[in-house]
Amino acid sequence: MTQQPIVDARAIHKHFGALHVLKGVDLKVAERELVFVIGPSGSGKSTLLRCLNRLEEPSSGSIVVDGIDMLDARTDINHARQRIGMVFQSFNLYPHMTALGNVTLALRKVAGKSRVEADRLGQAALERVGLADRAGHTPGQLSGGQQQRVAIARSIALEPRVMLFDEPTSALDPELVGSVLEVMRSLRESGMTMIVVSHEMGFARNAADRVVFMDDGLIVEQGPPAAIFENPTHERTRAFIGQIQRH
Amino acid sequence: MTNFERFLDTFFNGKVMLKYLPDILSGMVVTIELAVLIVLSGLAAGLSLALIRSLAIRPLNWLIIFIVDLFRSLPPLVIIVLMYFGLPYAEVSPSGFVSTWLSLAFVLMAFSEEIFWAGITSVHKGQWEAARSTGLSFGQTLMNVVLPQALRLTIPPLTNRTIAITKGTALGTVVAVTEILGEASSAVSNSYNPSPLMMGAAAYLVLFLPVVVLARRLETKFAWKK
Ligand SMILES: Nc1ncnc2c1ncn2[C@@H]1O[C@H](COP(=O)(O)OP(=O)(O)O)[C@@H](O)[C@H]1O
Ligand SMILES: [Mg+2]
């Protein structure tokens, strides 16, 4: 990694009361890199992602995303967050709006686009996730896979520099997982920088540049997918990989 | 005269009714004025308090909760009487109309704040997170994402509560407000005949029955469809 990393998080600690959830995590991500984060439940993966766009306030450490110091009090956090897309396990679409309404809300309110311009960009984003013909549907009228793709469109419409995915396919029926992974793959091919928390090992194997294994609030080990999956150096990594491969 | 005729003559006496119809009608106007004022100011104040509460400023929230619990515990009649007969000792002398309006508006504010607040907190945390992650501010998220969902949930309890409190305008008679019940009871004492009370009851039905029916419609319409 010679160039300036687009995400540079250093020594991130996070406490929830007495619970020490992140114990000094360092994570650098290069532009166009796809970093895959794995680890047992409760190891702090979600908390780490949520610290990166400051949905969670880190207890200490530093986070720079695309040259912006995320923890500086003078940083306009709402402006900074436009550059960091986030996709959630539970989609979190706005149920009272259509798919297009979901995608255009931030375009209008945050990016300051006119309704016509926002609709045009929103329609284009829906097109990219293969749902141009569902623009007028409400979330309740869409399948889980379609909802998650609308959620992805809602993020990419803002042209983020980085996308964070927190178990984007975990809430989906198995037959719907593929369509979401397909969209993620095409995002990756378009050069999007992505940090993905997921258990989709197949996807990791052929799309990830690097796999990061977290346990108990720390990054235990990281490397290319083949190395981590075939040849983990740490006992805990080996145990975890063995476990999920048996499933 | 048969018993039935005597009954009609007593409770539905045409002459008495005709004579006091204008009074009852003017009482209706006062009731409508009061009701509209109470609903508008009470709901606006309740929603404002709920929005302020969502800012999560501790001392402010304690104050809001205290005020809300106070007005939910006191019987509305007590508040009206305190305001009308008590405030003059503090050099403020609200009229019976103003006392009734403000008292019931405070009660509606208190109950509706709780309902609005319950609606706001029932919106899933993920909605906040998704909106904030796209760069929407706290206020933009509240107004565009959370409140529209919260209001939907609040409509059934809110309409019920609003109707119940608005009917309390009849309490205004105690402080000489010439609303429907006030007009009707003075007509009864002047005419020595209860017919005006029947007209009063009819007036309440004319005013509130359509509202109750409308509320029922709204409830079905806004029932949360998944
Ligand atoms: N808001 C919170 N308050 C208290 N504890 C939390 C909160 N969020 C997460 N935790 C705790 O932090 C730990 C890590 O959680 P999380 O980051 O969600 O792990 P993962 O995503 O790896 O499963 C867990 O023990 C979880 O219970
Ligand atoms: Mg998680």
Side-chain angles (χ1 to χ4, degrees), chain A residues 16 19 21 39-48 56 166-167:
Chain A
F16 287 111
L19 199 62
V21 172
S41 170
S43 57
K45 306 178 298 293
S46 297
T47 306
L48 175 62
E56 231 36 281
D166 193 356
E167 306 209 22

Short mmCIF file of all heavy atoms in Angstrom, two decimals, chain A residues 16 19 21 39-48 56 166-167, ligand 1:
data_model
loop_
_atom_site.label_atom_id
_atom_site.label_comp_id
_atom_site.label_asym_id
_atom_site.label_seq_id
_atom_site.Cartn_x
_atom_site.Cartn_y
_atom_site.Cartn_z
N PHE A 16 -18.50 0.54 26.03
CA PHE A 16 -19.92 0.76 26.36
C PHE A 16 -20.02 0.57 27.87
O PHE A 16 -20.08 -0.57 28.35
CB PHE A 16 -20.83 -0.25 25.66
CG PHE A 16 -20.98 -0.02 24.19
CD1 PHE A 16 -20.42 -0.89 23.27
CD2 PHE A 16 -21.68 1.08 23.71
CE1 PHE A 16 -20.56 -0.68 21.90
CE2 PHE A 16 -21.83 1.29 22.34
CZ PHE A 16 -21.26 0.41 21.44
N LEU A 19 -18.01 -2.23 29.45
CA LEU A 19 -17.66 -3.19 28.40
C LEU A 19 -16.64 -2.57 27.44
O LEU A 19 -16.89 -1.53 26.85
CB LEU A 19 -18.95 -3.57 27.65
CG LEU A 19 -18.94 -4.84 26.84
CD1 LEU A 19 -18.70 -6.05 27.74
CD2 LEU A 19 -20.28 -4.99 26.12
N VAL A 21 -15.21 -2.86 24.09
CA VAL A 21 -15.61 -3.58 22.87
C VAL A 21 -14.55 -3.53 21.78
O VAL A 21 -14.31 -4.51 21.08
CB VAL A 21 -16.95 -3.02 22.35
CG1 VAL A 21 -17.29 -3.61 21.01
CG2 VAL A 21 -18.05 -3.33 23.36
N GLY A 39 -15.28 -12.59 11.85
CA GLY A 39 -15.01 -12.76 13.27
C GLY A 39 -16.26 -13.21 13.99
O GLY A 39 -17.37 -13.02 13.46
N PRO A 40 -16.08 -13.82 15.18
CA PRO A 40 -17.26 -14.31 15.90
C PRO A 40 -18.22 -13.19 16.27
O PRO A 40 -17.84 -12.03 16.33
CB PRO A 40 -16.67 -14.95 17.17
CG PRO A 40 -15.21 -14.78 17.11
CD PRO A 40 -14.83 -14.05 15.88
N SER A 41 -19.46 -13.58 16.51
CA SER A 41 -20.47 -12.62 16.94
C SER A 41 -20.04 -11.96 18.24
O SER A 41 -19.53 -12.62 19.14
CB SER A 41 -21.79 -13.37 17.12
OG SER A 41 -22.71 -12.54 17.74
N GLY A 42 -20.18 -10.65 18.30
CA GLY A 42 -19.80 -9.92 19.51
C GLY A 42 -18.34 -9.50 19.54
O GLY A 42 -17.87 -8.92 20.51
N SER A 43 -17.61 -9.76 18.44
CA SER A 43 -16.19 -9.43 18.45
C SER A 43 -15.94 -7.94 18.16
O SER A 43 -14.80 -7.48 18.29
CB SER A 43 -15.43 -10.30 17.43
OG SER A 43 -15.98 -10.14 16.15
N GLY A 44 -16.97 -7.21 17.78
CA GLY A 44 -16.82 -5.76 17.59
C GLY A 44 -16.80 -5.31 16.14
O GLY A 44 -16.49 -4.16 15.86
N LYS A 45 -17.20 -6.19 15.21
CA LYS A 45 -17.17 -5.83 13.79
C LYS A 45 -18.12 -4.67 13.49
O LYS A 45 -17.75 -3.69 12.83
CB LYS A 45 -17.55 -7.05 12.93
CG LYS A 45 -16.70 -8.30 13.21
CD LYS A 45 -17.13 -9.48 12.38
CE LYS A 45 -18.55 -9.96 12.61
NZ LYS A 45 -18.79 -10.54 13.95
N SER A 46 -19.37 -4.80 13.94
CA SER A 46 -20.34 -3.74 13.67
C SER A 46 -19.90 -2.44 14.33
O SER A 46 -19.99 -1.36 13.72
CB SER A 46 -21.72 -4.12 14.21
OG SER A 46 -22.19 -5.26 13.55
N THR A 47 -19.44 -2.55 15.55
CA THR A 47 -19.02 -1.34 16.27
C THR A 47 -17.90 -0.64 15.52
O THR A 47 -17.89 0.59 15.40
CB THR A 47 -18.58 -1.71 17.70
OG1 THR A 47 -19.63 -2.44 18.33
CG2 THR A 47 -18.27 -0.47 18.52
N LEU A 48 -16.97 -1.42 14.97
CA LEU A 48 -15.87 -0.82 14.21
C LEU A 48 -16.42 -0.05 13.00
O LEU A 48 -16.08 1.11 12.77
CB LEU A 48 -14.89 -1.91 13.75
CG LEU A 48 -13.75 -1.42 12.84
CD1 LEU A 48 -12.88 -0.40 13.57
CD2 LEU A 48 -12.91 -2.59 12.34
N GLU A 56 -21.26 5.61 15.93
CA GLU A 56 -20.83 5.34 17.30
C GLU A 56 -19.63 6.24 17.55
O GLU A 56 -18.78 6.40 16.67
CB GLU A 56 -20.39 3.89 17.35
CG GLU A 56 -20.90 2.93 18.38
CD GLU A 56 -22.31 3.03 18.86
OE1 GLU A 56 -22.56 3.90 19.69
OE2 GLU A 56 -23.14 2.19 18.47
N ASP A 166 -22.61 -3.92 6.58
CA ASP A 166 -22.66 -4.69 7.82
C ASP A 166 -23.60 -5.88 7.65
O ASP A 166 -24.81 -5.74 7.77
CB ASP A 166 -23.11 -3.81 8.99
CG ASP A 166 -22.87 -4.49 10.33
OD1 ASP A 166 -22.43 -5.66 10.34
OD2 ASP A 166 -23.13 -3.85 11.37
N GLU A 167 -23.04 -7.02 7.36
CA GLU A 167 -23.80 -8.25 7.12
C GLU A 167 -24.99 -8.02 6.19
O GLU A 167 -26.14 -8.26 6.55
CB GLU A 167 -24.29 -8.83 8.45
CG GLU A 167 -23.14 -9.03 9.43
CD GLU A 167 -23.38 -10.17 10.40
OE1 GLU A 167 -24.20 -11.05 10.10
OE2 GLU A 167 -22.70 -10.17 11.45
N1 LIG C 1 -25.05 0.30 21.96
C1 LIG C 1 -24.45 -0.67 22.68
N2 LIG C 1 -24.52 -0.65 24.03
C2 LIG C 1 -23.92 -1.60 24.76
N3 LIG C 1 -23.23 -2.63 24.27
C3 LIG C 1 -23.13 -2.72 22.93
C4 LIG C 1 -23.74 -1.76 22.07
N4 LIG C 1 -23.48 -2.10 20.79
C5 LIG C 1 -22.75 -3.22 20.85
N5 LIG C 1 -22.54 -3.60 22.12
C6 LIG C 1 -21.76 -4.76 22.55
O1 LIG C 1 -20.49 -4.68 21.97
C7 LIG C 1 -20.01 -5.97 21.63
C8 LIG C 1 -19.65 -5.99 20.16
O2 LIG C 1 -20.80 -5.85 19.40
P1 LIG C 1 -20.81 -5.77 17.82
O3 LIG C 1 -19.86 -4.69 17.39
O4 LIG C 1 -22.21 -5.65 17.38
O5 LIG C 1 -20.20 -7.18 17.44
P2 LIG C 1 -20.30 -7.98 16.07
O6 LIG C 1 -20.84 -7.06 15.02
O7 LIG C 1 -18.93 -8.43 15.80
O8 LIG C 1 -21.20 -9.13 16.33
C9 LIG C 1 -21.12 -6.95 21.97
O9 LIG C 1 -20.81 -7.51 23.23
C10 LIG C 1 -22.34 -6.07 22.08
O10 LIG C 1 -23.24 -6.61 23.00
#
